[in-house]
């Protein structure tokens, strides 16, 4: 979670509501409905224990409080352990948590202690953001562009392939590209031969990775990346439905995946 800053987490619920409205308008479903459709689960009375972790770069300001706000937004009871790390984990278990949320510099997990299910944020984020892109009501074909094939992007590309979409992908890392071509059967997108898409899933930590030659006149760009990959002027010029939120949507997918 090293890319998140306290500033990214400010005004969390307003950003969530704004993105939820965009998603519902663009796909006909809200975040919770899409998560239910993907994972086949619905919230029950699970209690979520949030454990702060101090290893690596340490605790991100507002992170635990943001996880609690997300948990409660989706109708679950939650609490933050008073202490971090192992002591906090013990407190969460002793406090009756059904699901544990915790993250360090390398991985962010949800673990359901009752049924044994465990989910990672990078996989769930890739799956849910690619799913949002794939449900665009104004899509003009089954073609979808994936930008970035790291852990999040690869998970999303794999999900789209499994759903039967024609997946085009690009990444400057040739090893990532070759792996996706060989294992998933994606098609390499040639940046020197512009092709426009009405569905774009972007998963990089870089700004301006989406060029004018990639996007159709009306399209959905679904991206968890920080900073935003899409220049502001292109959003206005092409009437783009932009879904971009650094935390909530992926956490929602994590929770639904372990119910």
């Amino acid at each position: 979670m090293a890319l998140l800053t306290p500033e990214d987490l400010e005004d969390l619920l307003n950003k969530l509501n704004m993105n939820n409205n965009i998603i519902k308008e663009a796909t006909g479903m809200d975040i919770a409905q899409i998560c239910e459709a993907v994972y086949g689960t619905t919230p029950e009375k699970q209690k979520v224990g949030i454990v702060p972790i101090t290893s690596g770069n340490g605790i991100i300001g507002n992170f635990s409080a943001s996880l609690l706000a997300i948990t409660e937004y989706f109708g679950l009871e939650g609490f933050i352990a008073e202490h971090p790390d192992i002591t906090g984990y013990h407190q969460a278990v002793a406090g009756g948590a059904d699901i544990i949320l915790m993250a360090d510099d390398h991985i962010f997990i949800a673990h359901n202690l009752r049924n044994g299910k465990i989910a990672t944020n990078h996989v769930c984020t890739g799956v849910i953001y690619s799913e949002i892109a794939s449900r665009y009501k104004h899509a003009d074909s089954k073609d979808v562009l994936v930008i970035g094939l790291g852990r999040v992007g690869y998970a999303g590309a794999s999900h789209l392939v499994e759903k039967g979409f024609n997946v085009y992908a690009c990444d400057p890392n040739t090893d990532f590209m070759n792996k996706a071509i060989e294992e998933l059967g994606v098609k390499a997108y040639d940046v020197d031969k512009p092709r426009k898409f009405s569905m774009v899933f972007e998963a990089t930590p870089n700004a301006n990775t989406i060029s004018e030659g990639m996007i159709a006149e009306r399209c959905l760009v679904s991206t968890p990346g920080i900073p935003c990959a899409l220049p502001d002027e292109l959003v206005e010029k092409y009437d783009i439905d932009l879904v971009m939120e650094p935390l909530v949507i992926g956490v929602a997918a994590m929770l639904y995946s372990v119910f």
Side-chain angles (χ1 to χ4, degrees):
M1 304 307 298
L3 293 177
L4 284 173
T5 68
E7 290 73 25
D8 292 320
L9 302 175
E10 291 178 357
D11 200 21
L12 186 80
L13 295 182
N14 284 336
K15 292 176 183 176
L16 168 56
N17 286 323
M18 181 183 70
N19 277 277
N20 213 9
N21 289 336
I22 293 170
I23 292 168
K24 191 166 185 177
E25 177 65 27
T27 69
M29 303 173 74
D30 62 21
I31 296 169
Q33 290 169 325
I34 292 176
C35 287
E36 288 179 10
V38 171
Y39 296 108
T41 58
T42 55
E44 296 178 0
K45 294 183 178 180
Q46 291 93 339
K47 188 175 183 180
V48 179
I50 298 156
V51 181
I53 301 295
T54 61
S55 67
N57 289 323
I59 295 172
I60 299 170
N62 296 334
F63 184 65
S64 293
S66 296
L67 295 185
L68 180 59
I70 296 165
T71 294
E72 293 175 344
Y73 181 91
F74 288 99
L76 302 172
E77 179 184 356
F79 66 95
I80 301 169
E82 181 181 354
H83 295 283
D85 304 326
I86 301 302
T87 302
Y89 184 89
H90 180 269
Q91 287 180 327
V93 174
D98 300 297
I99 297 170
I100 301 289
L101 286 177
M102 55 186 178
D104 61 17
D105 290 356
H106 303 288
I107 198 165
F108 175 18
I109 67 167
H111 186 195
N112 190 319
L113 303 178
R114 309 307 173 202
N115 62 23
K117 291 183 180 180
I118 191 166
T120 60
N121 180 259
H122 61 273
V123 170
C124 289
T125 297
V127 168
I128 204 65
Y129 272 89
S130 62
E131 178 73 17
I132 290 167
S134 76
R135 289 179 175 269
Y136 192 42
K137 293 192 298 186
H138 306 291
D140 55 14
S141 72
K142 294 279 285 185
D143 296 343
V144 59
L145 175 62
V146 175
I147 303 172
L149 289 166
R151 296 193 303 173
V152 174
Y154 188 91
S158 177
H159 180 67
L160 291 166
V161 169
E162 290 175 3
K163 289 193 68 177
F165 284 83
N166 304 318
V167 180
Y168 293 78
C170 60
D171 193 298
N173 187 312
T174 55
D175 289 338
F176 288 0
M177 274 302 309
N178 290 336
K179 179 182 179 182
I181 291 169
E182 293 171 7
E183 296 181 358
L184 302 180
V186 306
K187 303 174 183 69
Y189 175 78
D190 187 347
V191 295
D192 295 322
K193 297 179 180 179
R195 175 177 182 151
K196 295 180 178 290
F197 294 83
S198 58
M199 297 176 289
V200 178
F201 165 54
E202 194 274 351
T204 80
N206 303 310
N208 303 329
T209 63
I210 301 174
S211 66
E212 193 164 3
M214 295 173 170
I215 49 178
E217 185 68 29
R218 181 82 189 271
C219 72
L220 171 63
V221 173
S222 184
T223 172
I226 305 171
C228 182
L230 189 66
D232 291 339
E233 60 269 20
L234 295 185
V235 177
E236 297 180 6
K237 182 177 179 180
Y238 287 96
D239 190 25
I240 292 172
D241 290 306
L242 174 62
V243 177
M244 192 201 85
E245 188 283 321
L247 182 66
V248 176
I249 297 171
V251 173
M254 292 171 71
L255 291 171
Y256 275 84
S257 72
V258 300
F259 286 158

